[in-house]
């Protein structure tokens, strides 16, 4: 049994943007005979904006909010609650006051199922402001610093991970994308399952890292592909298809 798990932003789509027409053309045909799951830090509303509905209806299930909610079609099969530590909001406000980035666009705390998404520039920023914050963050390492500080202070209670370009995903310890592995193991996977995972934030501190570690700890055969963007994913899927076809050809011939 082959199972495919994909992150969304930066892996199947450009960050916070819809899947491109060209990749959609390829992906909708590619997935017809595959068992596919999506796992994202975003909520389902954002996924519906980014992933065409005929793709959503042809995949097995979608884990949103870092694996804190799981859906199959319109059915929500589980959802978790975020237990927020008392001083967290105060600390996040302080980081916002101290940041040298000049724009505060609004919607800095987005409460999602089982998690909080936090952004200094604010989720209501324009695309230009998003790009500016992203460049500022690359230069200053602001999000990495904040996440390290919070991870130290709230060790054992919450974890903070860098997801996309402008924000941090905050969730209770262990309630990250790694949840996907035991859930799938219990519900779907047979012992001989082969799991392929594609993600753009697989390094330590990134929000795909915990899932990668959980796969590595599991007894399943796995193939983990770190990508820089959806074009890398596309290239790799095409390459895999080509390898499968040529191994069939050589075993027949
Ligand atoms: O799925 C990746 C990330 O996408 C968004 O990140 P940002 O707005 O910072 O680019 C957010 O939805 C984030 O939660 C998510 O992890």
């Amino acid at each position: 049994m082959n199972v495919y798990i994909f992150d969304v932003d930066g892996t199947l789509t450009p960050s916070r943007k819809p899947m491109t027409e060209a990749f959609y053309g390829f992906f909708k045909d590619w997935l017809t005979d595959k068992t596919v799951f999506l796992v994202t830090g975003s909520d389902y509303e954002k996924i519906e904006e980014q992933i065409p509905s005929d793709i959503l209806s042809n995949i097995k299930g979608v884990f949103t909010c870092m694996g804190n909610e799981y859906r199959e079609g319109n059915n929500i099969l589980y959802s978790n609650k975020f237990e927020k530590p008392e001083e967290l909001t105060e600390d996040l406000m302080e980081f916002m006051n101290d940041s040298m980035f000049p724009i505060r666009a609004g919607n800095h705390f987005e409460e999602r199922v089982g998690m909080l998404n936090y952004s200094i520039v604010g989720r209501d920023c324009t695309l230009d402001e998003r790009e500016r914050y992203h460049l500022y963050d690359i230069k200053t390492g602001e999000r990495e610093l904040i996440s390290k500080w919070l991870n130290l202070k709230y060790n054992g209670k919450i974890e903070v991970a860098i997801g996309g370009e402008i924000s941090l995903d905050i969730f209770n310890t262990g309630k990250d994308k790694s949840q996907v592995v035991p859930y799938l193991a219990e519900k779907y996977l047979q012992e001989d399952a082969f799991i392929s995972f594609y993600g753009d934030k697989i390094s330590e501190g990134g929000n795909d890292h915990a899932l990668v570690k959980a796969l590595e700890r599991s007894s399943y055969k796995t193939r983990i592909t770190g990508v820089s963007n959806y074009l890398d994913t596309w290239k790799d899927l095409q390459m895999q298809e080509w390898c499968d076809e040529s191994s069939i050809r050589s075993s027949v011939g």
Side-chain angles (χ1 to χ4, degrees), residues 54-72:
D54 58 336
I55 289 193
L56 286 179
S57 56
N58 277 314
I59 58 173
K60 189 86 190 142
V62 185
F63 294 90
T64 56
C65 305
M66 303 293 287
N68 282 301
E69 185 170 272
Y70 177 61
R71 287 176 191 242
E72 288 182 3

Side-chain angles (χ1 to χ4, degrees), residues 91-105:
D91 288 336
L92 297 177
M93 288 300 293
E94 212 166 308
F95 281 120
M96 232 163 81
N97 292 336
D98 292 350
S99 170
M100 299 299 280
F101 189 74
I103 300 162
R104 301 288 179 273

Side-chain angles (χ1 to χ4, degrees), residues 124-241:
D124 288 347
C125 63
T126 62
L127 281 179
D128 178 59
E129 289 164 345
R130 167 179 277 272
E131 181 67 9
R132 279 173 64 187
Y133 181 80
H134 188 42
L135 292 175
Y136 163 87
D137 182 60
I138 291 170
K139 213 161 147 193
T140 60
E142 179 170 85
R143 288 188 300 165
E144 199 182 342
L145 259 167
I146 297 174
S147 67
K148 280 192 172 149
W149 192 91
L150 292 170
N151 278 326
L152 266 178
K153 171 163 177 181
Y154 294 103
N155 184 19
K157 291 196 182 101
I158 59 166
E159 286 171 47
V160 182
I162 298 173
E165 296 171 337
I166 59 159
S167 63
L168 291 162
D169 292 323
I170 306 177
F171 41 86
N172 292 122
T173 301
K175 296 293 181 190
D176 51 29
K177 289 188 182 181
S178 68
Q179 302 175 82
V180 165
V181 179
Y183 187 77
L184 291 182
E186 203 186 314
K187 225 172 160 220
Y188 294 107
L189 303 178
Q190 287 141 18
E191 269 171 36
D192 64 346
F194 185 98
I195 308 175
S196 299
F197 173 63
Y198 292 77
D200 71 325
K201 294 279 190 303
I202 63 170
S203 313
E204 200 165 350
N207 72 1
D208 296 319
H209 187 69
L211 174 49
V212 169
K213 289 277 141 202
L215 287 171
E216 285 172 356
R217 281 193 306 270
S218 77
S219 55
Y220 301 109
K221 282 194 212 106
T222 57
R223 181 172 182 270
I224 288 151
T225 310
V227 297
S228 303
N229 52 49
Y230 78 91
L231 291 170
D232 282 355
T233 307
W234 189 353
K235 229 182 289 165
D236 190 86
L237 293 176
Q238 279 178 317
M239 189 73 88
Q240 290 305 311
E241 284 223 307

Side-chain angles (χ1 to χ4, degrees), residues 9 15 40-42 112 117 123 130 163-167 169 207:
D9 290 86
S15 206
T40 173
S42 287
R112 299 183 187 162
N117 180 263
R123 304 207 62 78
R130 167 179 277 272
E165 296 171 337
I166 59 159
S167 63
D169 292 323
N207 72 1

